[in-house]
Amino acid sequence: MKKILIIGTGGTIASAPSEVGLVPALTSEQLLEHIPSVAAFCKVDCMQIFTLDSTNIRPGHWLLIADEIRSCYDRYDGFVITHGTDTMAYTAAGLSYLIQNSAKPIVITGAQRPINEDGTDAKRNLTDALIYACDEGSHGVSLVFFGSVICGTRARKNYSKSFMAFGSVNFPELARIQDGHVIRYVPEQVSGAPMFYDYMDPNVGLIKLTPGLNDDVMQYAIEKYDGLVIESFGVGGLPEYSDFHVHIRRAVDRGKLIVMTTQVPNEGSDLSVYRVGRTLKSNLSVLEAYDMTSEAVLTKLMWILGKTNDFETAKALFYRPVAHDILCV
Ligand code: ASP
């Protein structure tokens, strides 16, 4: 029988009502009490690493989770992390860079309604996550929600209330869990040892272009952060009516990383199409996200800037695929 560690972090799944709204309260052990039938197919240990609404989760918390998994990696066949849905896609992406090439599955799940509530989705999601973590073909970081199994670098929260909260962006679902069975769409093989990283540069930000975005705001963001993701319009471009180009040139000369991506939900960027985008890479050394999600771009920059400040090394790392994060370089 497979041995799985559940790592509790809080979130709606573990929340209870209070006078000021839902607050995470239950431990992973208390969550497990709600799904006694899983004892038929796995042996579970529980630990609680922190108890937070995921709105309060920061990059340092991803490092804590990765470090916990590293320290007990040899003792378990797989890991299930219970987590709030609001920043779950960021945690899934962040962990995909902090723990690479893991033959053992690291599965993140949560719920839109607390496990104590009638009609909750929590029991199904937690049971599905354990089923997926016990399957021989499961590897690496993934997110399990409402029957979907999504690669950790491709998840996006698409619905704020519905049970089918998450989708896979620019990449197929890895699998589905149906009637207790794993139906796998993307078979995976992992060989060699896992790679754990223990540092990220948290000083990376994201700014969304809006028509007429204030020049001072862009300048401040570029100066403040070591790396900045710019969510542009359509396939990508930078307005020509402002000093954005000057600010970016200055920042890149000082060793900062700037990545252009798109705020359009699907199909990614292509800076080569329009004059507003074409010269950004050649003239300004801007990097391009292509089909990557913003969550993956942000956390990949944190991982890269935690390793190097050399532009050419950073550029090579950025375009090197990690855990299916980029296809269209
Ligand atoms: N605010 C909650 C959280 O992210 C929402 C949820 O878990 O669904 O922790």
Side-chain angles (χ1 to χ4, degrees):
M1 203 179 260
K2 296 265 187 183
K3 210 172 158 196
I4 309 294
L5 178 67
I6 299 184
I7 301 174
T9 73
T12 293
I13 188 170
S15 285
S18 80
E19 276 175 11
V20 288
L22 287 175
V23 268
L26 272 56
T27 63
S28 49
E29 204 138 22
Q30 290 170 312
L31 295 180
L32 186 64
E33 285 167 12
H34 287 266
I35 49 166
S37 61
V38 301
F41 64 87
C42 61
K43 188 173 164 358
V44 180
D45 283 347
C46 294
M47 70 92 54
Q48 193 69 19
I49 195 161
F50 43 79
T51 305
L52 292 173
D53 189 301
S54 77
T55 303
N56 290 318
I57 286 182
R58 286 164 284 164
H61 296 104
W62 308 333
L63 291 167
L64 285 178
I65 298 170
D67 190 53
E68 179 61 34
I69 293 174
R70 173 190 231 159
S71 68
C72 50
Y73 194 79
D74 293 337
R75 281 187 275 137
Y76 294 96
D77 300 304
F79 303 86
V80 169
I81 301 159
T82 57
H83 194 288
T85 62
D86 290 344
T87 62
M88 190 184 285
Y90 289 93
T91 297
L95 290 178
S96 301
Y97 298 109
L98 290 174
I99 309 172
Q100 296 181 28
N101 201 49
S102 171
K104 298 185 181 182
I106 297 156
V107 185
I108 308 176
T109 196
Q112 292 281 53
R113 305 304 314 159
I115 205 160
N116 277 325
E117 234 179 57
D118 285 347
T120 177
D121 53 336
K123 293 178 204 173
R124 173 194 182 173
N125 290 344
L126 189 52
T127 305
D128 283 354
L130 287 163
I131 290 168
Y132 191 71
C134 287
D135 192 83
E136 280 300 324
S138 303
H139 310 287
V141 179
S142 60
L143 187 153
V144 169
F145 215 93
F146 198 61
S148 293
V149 182
I150 300 166
C151 182
T153 57
R154 293 291 184 171
R156 162 82 39 80
K157 186 170 177 181
N158 286 332
Y159 293 89
S160 55
K161 298 175 184 174
S162 300
F163 285 176
M164 50 170 217
F166 287 89
S168 184
V169 178
N170 299 332
F171 198 76
E173 287 182 357
L174 296 178
R176 283 200 67 77
I177 316 291
Q178 214 155 49
D179 304 325
H181 299 290
V182 177
I183 300 163
R184 196 170 293 282
Y185 303 139
V186 183
E188 301 208 77
Q189 280 193 328
V190 173
S191 59
M195 287 172 294
F196 288 90
Y197 295 88
D198 57 8
Y199 187 70
M200 274 185 151
D201 179 354
N203 194 30
V204 174
L206 183 150
I207 192 164
K208 178 174 177 167
L209 285 188
T210 51
L213 177 71
N214 187 294
D215 193 80
D216 293 345
V217 172
M218 179 64 103
Q219 185 178 11
Y220 184 78
I222 288 173
E223 278 177 12
K224 190 81 185 159
Y225 288 119
D226 302 329
L228 182 67
V229 185
I230 301 174
E231 273 193 355
S232 179
F233 312 113
V235 287
L238 206 57
E240 295 161 326
Y241 53 75
S242 69
D243 283 337
F244 292 169
H245 292 74
V246 180
H247 305 321
I248 291 178
R249 166 89 277 147
R250 205 176 298 140
V252 169
D253 286 347
R254 282 162 47 207
K256 293 176 186 249
L257 294 180
I258 311 289
V259 182
M260 292 295 291
T261 188
T262 177
Q263 55 193 261
V264 178
N266 293 292
E267 299 183 340
S269 68
D270 184 353
L271 289 176
S272 69
V273 179
Y274 298 103
R275 189 183 76 184
V276 287
R278 172 112 20 127
T279 56
L280 295 180
K281 288 201 279 187
S282 51
N283 292 356
L284 294 182
S285 298
V286 159
L287 302 173
E288 176 169 6
Y290 294 103
D291 58 298
M292 291 179 78
T293 67
S294 292
E295 291 87 340
V297 173
L298 189 89
T299 54
K300 195 173 198 178
L301 280 193
M302 291 178 180
W303 170 65
I304 291 171
L305 285 166
K307 286 164 70 74
T308 183
N309 286 315
D310 174 66
F311 178 76
E312 288 306 325
T313 312
K315 182 177 169 184
L317 280 172
F318 184 76
Y319 289 127
R320 198 194 75 192
V322 175
H324 306 298
D325 63 350
I326 188 164
L327 293 170
C328 307
V329 183

